[in-house]
Amino acid sequence: MEITIKIFRYDPEKDTRGHYETYVVEGDTNDRVLDVLELVKGKTDGSLAFRRSCAHGICGSDAMRINGRNHLACKTLVRDVGTNITVEPVLGLKVQKDLIVDMGPFFDNYKMMLPYLINENPPPADGKERLQSPEQRARFDETTKCILCAACTTSCPSYWANGDYYGPAAIVTAHRFIFDSRDEGASQRLHILSETDGTARCHTAYNCTEACPRDIKITKAIGEVKMAMVTGKLD
Amino acid sequence: MAKVHQFDVVVIGGGGAGLMAGLYASKSAKTAVISKMYPTRSHTGAAQGGISAALGNYEEDKPEWHMYDTVKGSDYLGDQDAIEFMCNEAIDAVLELEHMGLPFDRTPEGRISQRPFGGHTNNETGKPVRRAAHAADRTGHMILQTLYQQCLKNKVNFFDEYQVLDFIMVNGKAAGVVAVELSTGELHTIHAKAVIFATGGYGRIFEVTSNAYAYTGDGPAILFRHGIPLEDMEFFQFHPTGIYKLGILITEGARGEGAVLINGNGERFMPKYAPTVKDLASRDIVSRAIYTEIKEGRGIGGKNFVYLDIRPETVNKFAAMDGRTNPDGSPLLITGDTVLQKIPDIVDFCRVYLGVDPVTQLMPTQPTAHYAMGGIPTNKFGEVVIDDKNTVFPGLFAAGECACVSVHGANRLGTNSLLDIVVFGKHAGLRAAEYAKTAEFEKLPEDAESASRAEFDALRKGSGKENVYDLSNEMKQVMFADVGIYRNEKDMQTALEKVRELKVRFKDVTVSDTGKIFNTELLNAWEFGNLLDVAEVIALSALNRKESRGGHSREDFPDRDDKNWLKHSLVWNRNGKLEIGYKPVVITKHQPKARVY
Ligand SMILES: Cc1cc2nc3c(=O)[nH]c(=O)nc-3n(C[C@H](O)[C@H](O)[C@H](O)COP(=O)(O)OP(=O)(O)OC[C@H]3O[C@@H](n4cnc5c(N)ncnc54)[C@H](O)[C@@H]3O)c2cc1C
Ligand code: SF4
Ligand code: FES
C-alpha cells in the first residue's frame, strides 16, 4: 500500500529555517513508522537524519512527534496512525538536524536528581545482598522502566513554557530512588525537587502519562513525590 | 587539524562491558568512555531474561555446576580456565550489582530472585536449576541503567555520540583512537596508553535478528583491518524464539516460566529432541529442532514459524506432566497475572507488534540471529592476544560481545553474556589501568586521522551506481539463508562469493549528504563496510570448519569431530588477503563427551 509521509526537515548548514518534505513510499500496515523512515532514507533521501537503535521500544532513541503526538517511531505501527503520516521533532529541545534534537539539557536534568543509589552504610557483613521484600521492591517497580526517551518531558506544557523545569522524566528518576527501601538519599532529592524548578511546576496536565511509551503512570509518580514532600513519609 | 585529547585509558563503548571497564579503570587512571550513542541506548538494555550466578537462593547450586553447564553448552570449545574464572566470579559480580543498586526481583526472604534457563542444570539430577538472577524481563535494562548511574556517581568522563573510526598503533603498541563527533562532524584524536574495545555485536549481518541497528561490528572490523585476528567467527547464535518476521526476542525466560513450543500439528515437539530438559535445552538444539519441524512440513500452516505457548492452561498441563514444582515444592501453577508479572515487556511487544495477547493467544516465533560467540581474541584479563601462542598486543584490550575470551565456545548459554560483560569488563578495566601506570604515551603519528579521512572521501566519491540500502539487504538475505542455522559447502561458497561481490559493488556507492552535522548517511555507509568485512570472515570461517559443533551445523558434516576440530579458528587480514590459523582449546576439568540434554 501507498504511505504518504510528511517530514520536518532542517539542515543548519543549508537552511535558515525548517520546512516539510512529503514522500510517498510502498509499505505495509504492520510496518513501524521507523521502517518507513528507514525506507525514505535508504531509497529516496539519504540525508534525512534521525536517531534509532533497538527498533523495539527499549533504547529510547527515537521519540518524535507523529501526527502531533509524542511516540517512539519504532513502537508505532502504520495501522495505528494511518497512511497519511506527519513526523516532526519533539518540542522544547533545540533541533540539531531534521528529527534530531539536542538531548544535552534533558540528560543534565536527569543528572540533577542524584540518579544513583545513595547508601553510605557498608553492605551486609556476609557480603550478600541488601535484603528487600517483594513488596518493598514492588513499591518503585513502575519507575524503573524508564528508558530516558524524553517523550514525557517534551510533551509537557510547563516544560515548553519554562525550560528550567526539571521535567517529568527527571522526577520519574527521582521517584525510582526515593521509594527504594535501600536508598537513603530521599531527603536530598526531595529538597532539590522542592525548589522552584521542581515539582511545583507540574500542573497535572497528564500529557506525560499519555506520551510515555513504557506506560509509566508518571502523573501518579509525581503526585507521590509531592506527597512525600508534604508528609515526609515514604510509603 | 583534529582536536587531540589525552587519557591513560580510553574505552570504546558505553554498554555493560564498556561501563564496567570505565568504572574500574577510572578508579586509578584517567579514563574516558566514548560511545556512538548515549550510553543508556546501548543494546545491553535489550537483554531480558537474566544474569547467571550460582547464588542458590531457591535451591542448591554451585559454581562447579555452572562451569560444567557452560563447558557443555559451549560444545567443549570454550576455554575452561576462563570459564572457571567467570563462574567463580559470578556470585560476587551479581552481588556487587545489587550493592550498586540494581533492583533485582526478590524471593519471599528478600534475596535476589532466580529463574530457570536453557542449559542450567543440577549436575546430580540433570533437572533445571534456578540460576538466572532477574529484574522482570528487563534485566539488561537495569544493568545498563545501574552501571551508567555508578559511572555518573564516580564522575567518569564521557564522550557521548562520538563514533570511533580508527585505532592508532605505534611501534606495535596501542596509542589511541580517532573518533568523529556526530553533532559537528569534527574529527578528534584520543591519545591513550591503553585502549579497550567494547563495541558489542554484529547481528545486523543477518536478515532476521534481535540485534539493534547499531550492531555493526565496528570494533572487530577496525582491528581486523589493522591485522589483529578474529577468533571463532563461524559461531553465531540463532535464538529459537524471535517474533515472526521482526526477529524481536522473546526471552528464554518465557520457557523458564513454563512456556512450550508447539508445531503446526498442535504438538509439543521438544521432548523428541531433548527428552530430559525438553523446551529448556541449549539454544542451538532448540533452534535446530524448530528448523527441522518447519523443514518437515510441520510449521504453522506449512509456513516457516512455530508457536510459543505461555497460556496458563497449557503451561499448567505440561508442568504437571513434567512434574515441575515451585521453589517450595508445590506444583507449578501459573495464572494470567503470573505472565503479566514475570514477562511484562514480552506481553507488550506481542500486543504492539503482533496484536496478540500471550495470556490468551499463541505467539508466532522463528529463530533469530542473536549473539556473536566469536570476536576479538582475548585472555581472561581482557588483553587482546594476536596469535596461536596468545601473544599479548601491548595496550590493547577488548571485552563484551565484541570479544572472544572464549567462555562461550561454540554456543553461549543464556544469561552468560550479561555475566561475561560484567566480569570481563571489570578485569579489562583493571588490567588496562595497571598497564597505564607503567606504560608511556607513544608519540602520535603526524596525521593520525588521514586513514579515516580517506575512508570518508572514498564513500563520497563513488559513482553512485549502487545504493547501500539495497546492498545491505542483499548481504542480510544471503547470510541468513546460506550461513544460518544449517549450513553446507555449496551454500556457504555462494554466500562468500556474494559478500565479495558486494564488497566490490560497495565501491560504487556514494553519499549524497555533503554536510558535517549528524551525517548519518555517511556513518551508516561506513558501518555497512564494517559489516561486509565481518561477514566475509564469518562465511570464510564457517566454510573452513568441516564439522558440526554448537551453533555451527553442517548438513555435509553432521558430527562433531574432536580429532580434527577441537580447536579455535583465527583469521588474519594480511594486506587484504585472509589467512586462516588455529589455536588449541584450554581443557582442564572436563574432557569432551557427547552432548545430550
Ligand atoms: C534482545 C536481546 C536479549 C538478550 N538477553 C540476554 C540475557 O537475558 N542474558 C544475557 O546474558 N545476555 C543477553 N543478551 C546478550 C547481551 O545482552 C549482550 O551480548 C551484551 O549486553 C553486550 O554488551 P556489550 O557491552 O558488549 O555491548 P553493548 O551493550 O551493545 O554496547 C556496545 C557499545 O559500543 C558502542 N559502540 C559501538 N561501536 C562504536 C564505535 N564505532 N564508536 C563508539 N562507540 C561504539 C555503542 O554505542 C554501545 O555503547 C541479549 C541480547 C539481545 C539482543
Ligand atoms: S518516563 Fe516514559 S516518556 Fe518519560 S523518559 Fe521515561 S520512558 Fe520516556
Ligand atoms: S529505536 Fe530504540 S526505542 Fe525506538
Side-chain angles (χ1 to χ4, degrees):
Chain A
M1 70 165 48
E2 233 173 48
I3 299 167
T4 307
I5 186 163
K6 187 171 132 191
I7 306 176
F8 177 89
R9 302 299 307 270
Y10 169 66
D11 180 348
E13 292 170 86
K14 290 195 186 130
D15 306 329
T16 46
R17 55 200 194 95
H19 60 281
Y20 291 85
E21 297 270 356
T22 301
Y23 306 86
V24 180
V25 295
E26 259 316 293
D28 185 90
T29 48
N30 287 323
D31 283 344
R32 297 164 271 211
V33 172
L34 180 62
D35 298 322
V36 179
L37 292 174
E38 283 289 331
L39 197 59
V40 170
K41 183 174 176 65
K43 298 293 282 185
T44 313
D45 187 347
S47 69
L48 175 64
F50 49 92
R51 294 188 179 99
R52 88 286 190 252
S53 186
C54 72
H56 67 287
I58 250 5
C59 74
S61 294
D62 59 343
M64 51 188 75
R65 261 185 319 151
I66 300 174
N67 292 350
R69 302 184 80 120
N70 281 1
H71 293 281
L72 297 176
C74 66
K75 225 184 159 181
T76 307
L77 305 191
V78 171
R79 68 162 185 254
D80 304 327
V81 291
T83 51
N84 263 308
I85 310 173
T86 302
V87 179
E88 301 159 291
V90 291
L91 296 174
L93 294 169
K94 188 172 161 278
V95 177
Q96 289 177 303
K97 182 176 178 183
D98 299 340
L99 302 171
I100 296 182
V101 296
D102 180 4
M103 294 293 289
F106 176 81
F107 277 100
D108 288 345
N109 286 335
Y110 171 77
K111 289 170 195 166
M112 287 295 293
M113 295 302 115
L114 313 176
Y116 36 79
L117 189 83
I118 298 179
N119 184 334
E120 299 309 329
N121 299 315
D126 59 3
K128 294 222 171 127
E129 61 269 58
R130 293 194 166 96
L131 297 180
Q132 181 170 58
S133 70
E135 295 70 37
Q136 289 172 322
R137 168 65 180 78
R139 181 66 190 83
F140 64 103
D141 187 60
E142 184 86 359
T143 44
T144 64
K145 295 192 297 194
C146 174
I147 53 174
L148 300 171
C149 69
C152 54
T153 298
T154 59
S155 72
C156 173
S158 301
Y159 185 75
W160 298 336
N162 187 333
D164 291 332
Y165 173 33
Y166 297 134
I171 305 174
V172 163
T173 296
H175 180 282
R176 177 254 170 271
F177 289 102
I178 291 172
F179 292 96
D180 185 335
S181 57
R182 301 169 297 172
D183 185 85
E184 295 177 342
S187 58
Q188 293 175 61
R189 295 191 192 92
L190 289 173
H191 179 74
I192 295 168
L193 283 172
S194 67
E195 288 162 13
T196 29
D197 296 322
T199 47
R201 295 215 183 268
C202 166
H203 301 305
T204 52
Y206 278 98
N207 286 21
C208 54
T209 304
E210 277 165 25
C212 180
R214 302 285 291 150
D215 295 328
I216 299 172
K217 295 179 198 72
I218 304 175
T219 313
K220 180 163 170 267
I222 298 177
E224 290 172 359
V225 171
K226 285 181 181 171
M227 190 58 91
M229 234 174 248
V230 177
T231 64
K233 284 208 211 103
L234 298 179
D235 42 38
Chain B
M1 247 326 263
K3 290 192 186 128
V4 182
H5 313 257
Q6 205 178 54
F7 290 92
D8 293 328
V9 178
V10 59
V11 183
I12 301 125
L19 293 176
M20 200 70 183
L23 194 57
Y24 270 89
S26 62
K27 286 182 198 284
S28 67
K30 190 179 169 209
T31 303
V33 176
I34 305 182
S35 176
K36 67 178 175 181
M37 300 176 291
Y38 280 99
T40 59
R41 316 280 185 231
S42 305
H43 213 46
T44 292
Q48 303 168 352
I51 172 167
S52 51
L55 300 166
N57 282 354
Y58 281 122
E59 55 198 339
E60 189 186 10
D61 198 6
K62 309 175 187 178
E64 299 87 76
W65 293 353
H66 187 184
M67 174 186 177
Y68 172 71
D69 289 342
T70 304
V71 172
K72 178 180 173 187
S74 81
D75 220 347
Y76 295 91
L77 194 74
D79 287 326
Q80 296 185 13
D81 55 342
I83 293 175
E84 183 166 17
F85 178 75
M86 178 177 82
C87 296
N88 285 338
E89 296 258 309
I91 295 176
D92 284 345
V94 169
L95 290 172
E96 183 183 14
L97 291 173
E98 196 284 330
H99 297 158
M100 287 176 176
L102 199 144
F104 283 109
D105 291 349
R106 298 289 167 156
T107 71
E109 295 75 42
R111 300 212 170 272
I112 296 169
S113 181
Q114 296 182 278
R115 60 161 60 117
F117 239 76
H120 298 185
T121 64
N122 174 315
N123 288 183
E124 278 151 24
T125 63
K127 287 252 159 78
V129 71
R130 291 174 180 79
R131 186 178 294 147
H134 58 90
D137 51 358
R138 48 175 187 281
T139 315
H141 166 75
M142 294 318 330
I143 291 181
L144 187 65
Q145 298 282 328
T146 304
L147 291 177
Y148 181 59
Q149 292 160 356
Q150 286 300 309
C151 286
L152 293 180
K153 184 174 181 202
N154 290 286
K155 307 207 163 33
V156 172
N157 301 296
F158 282 103
F159 287 72
D160 295 335
E161 297 198 318
Y162 280 66
Q163 184 155 3
V164 167
L165 304 172
D166 202 6
F167 169 60
I168 310 170
M169 52 193 264
V170 176
N171 300 327
K173 290 184 188 154
V177 292
V178 176
V180 57
E181 180 179 5
L182 300 186
S183 64
T184 62
E186 296 302 331
L187 291 183
H188 294 247
T189 295
I190 292 92
H191 189 197
K193 294 177 185 173
V195 177
I196 306 178
F197 277 84
T199 55
Y202 36 84
R204 283 275 152 181
I205 284 170
F206 297 100
E207 187 179 11
V208 178
T209 178
S210 65
N211 285 188
Y213 275 105
Y215 262 22
T216 53
D218 300 358
I222 289 170
L223 292 181
F224 185 68
R225 292 195 283 266
H226 279 283
I228 311 286
L230 296 178
E231 179 175 348
D232 290 342
M233 295 297 281
E234 59 273 42
F235 297 103
F236 203 94
Q237 179 166 77
F238 292 82
H239 192 292
T241 54
I243 290 181
Y244 180 48
K245 285 190 180 156
L246 291 171
I248 298 169
L249 193 77
I250 300 182
T251 173
E252 206 163 279
R255 280 170 286 135
E257 301 295 348
V260 295
L261 289 159
I262 304 286
N263 68 16
N265 299 341
E267 298 155 354
R268 180 191 189 193
F269 55 86
M270 274 316 295
K272 267 192 305 197
Y273 300 90
T276 315
V277 292
K278 306 181 179 103
D279 296 86
L280 283 174
S282 226
R283 289 185 180 166
D284 53 335
I285 291 171
V286 184
S287 285
R288 282 196 292 274
I290 293 173
Y291 186 94
T292 306
E293 291 294 310
I294 289 170
K295 210 167 101 184
E296 293 176 359
R298 293 186 297 278
I300 308 301
K303 293 215 190 110
N304 61 339
F305 68 95
V306 296
Y307 283 133
L308 181 65
D309 190 349
I310 197 164
R311 295 174 304 174
E313 61 273 24
T314 311
V315 170
N316 295 340
K317 180 175 98 187
F318 287 113
M321 281 168 60
D322 294 351
R324 285 187 64 173
T325 54
N326 289 316
D328 63 7
S330 61
L332 180 75
L333 273 177
I334 70 160
T335 63
D337 277 346
T338 324
V339 177
L340 296 180
Q341 191 201 332
K342 300 274 188 175
I343 53 163
D345 281 2
I346 303 295
V347 172
D348 186 42
F349 297 153
C350 289
R351 286 179 181 163
V352 171
Y353 297 108
L354 296 166
V356 161
D357 183 352
V359 178
T360 55
Q361 292 169 295
L362 301 157
M363 298 173 265
T365 57
Q366 71 182 147
T368 181
H370 185 54
Y371 182 83
M373 270 78 74
I376 306 159
T378 73
N379 60 25
K380 65 185 181 200
F381 305 112
E383 293 167 323
V384 173
V385 290
I386 53 169
D387 57 23
D388 55 340
K389 294 182 195 63
N390 288 318
T391 306
V392 170
F393 188 105
L396 181 58
F397 301 78
E401 189 166 338
C402 71
C404 179
V405 183
S406 139
V407 284
H408 309 302
N411 171 63
R412 170 177 74 91
L413 281 195
T415 72
N416 266 351
S417 172
L418 290 177
L419 179 61
D420 167 352
I421 63 177
V422 175
V423 169
F424 295 108
K426 169 178 166 177
H427 285 280
L430 285 173
R431 195 43 85 100
E434 193 183 306
Y435 172 87
K437 241 181 235 156
T438 52
E440 300 290 330
F441 281 102
E442 293 298 319
K443 191 171 175 303
L444 284 178
E446 278 299 315
D447 188 9
E449 312 83 41
S450 59
S452 301
R453 220 172 268 125
E455 285 177 12
F456 278 180
D457 285 348
L459 290 170
R460 289 192 160 112
K461 283 212 283 278
S463 67
K465 218 165 64 193
E466 299 285 355
N467 166 294
V468 172
Y469 187 84
D470 294 331
L471 294 187
S472 154
N473 283 336
E474 287 185 42
M475 171 191 69
K476 290 175 189 170
Q477 278 160 16
V478 76
M479 289 300 289
F480 196 68
D482 294 342
V483 197
I485 299 174
Y486 274 106
R487 303 165 169 185
N488 63 57
E489 179 91 17
K490 188 169 139 279
D491 290 349
M492 287 189 287
Q493 194 64 51
T494 311
L496 184 60
E497 278 158 25
K498 180 78 190 183
V499 170
R500 287 181 168 157
E501 171 204 311
L502 290 170
K503 285 181 87 163
V504 175
R505 288 168 56 197
F506 181 51
K507 296 197 166 79
D508 279 317
V509 308
T510 192
V511 170
S512 63
D513 188 345
T514 52
K516 290 174 74 93
I517 298 176
F518 283 108
N519 191 335
T520 52
E521 184 185 10
L522 179 65
L523 287 157
N524 291 355
W526 180 78
E527 289 173 336
F528 176 61
N530 296 337
L531 285 173
L532 279 176
D533 282 354
V534 173
E536 183 182 10
V537 181
I538 293 178
L540 179 76
S541 308
L543 193 57
N544 181 59
R545 184 175 283 269
K546 296 189 176 45
E547 65 157 353
S548 289
R549 183 186 298 273
H552 176 66
S553 311
R554 291 192 57 153
E555 291 157 333
D556 41 359
F557 297 95
D559 298 321
R560 194 174 86 196
D561 175 0
D562 287 338
K563 193 158 152 277
N564 296 302
W565 289 101
L566 186 56
K567 57 188 177 189
H568 299 291
S569 326
L570 293 172
V571 177
W572 290 266
N573 166 24
R574 306 264 194 228
N575 303 319
K577 274 213 143 14
L578 303 196
E579 187 182 304
I580 302 176
Y582 304 96
K583 88 179 171 187
V585 176
V586 180
I587 295 173
T588 55
K589 294 192 168 151
H590 302 290
Q591 287 305 316
K593 58 182 182 205
R595 191 160 153 258
V596 186
Y597 282 99

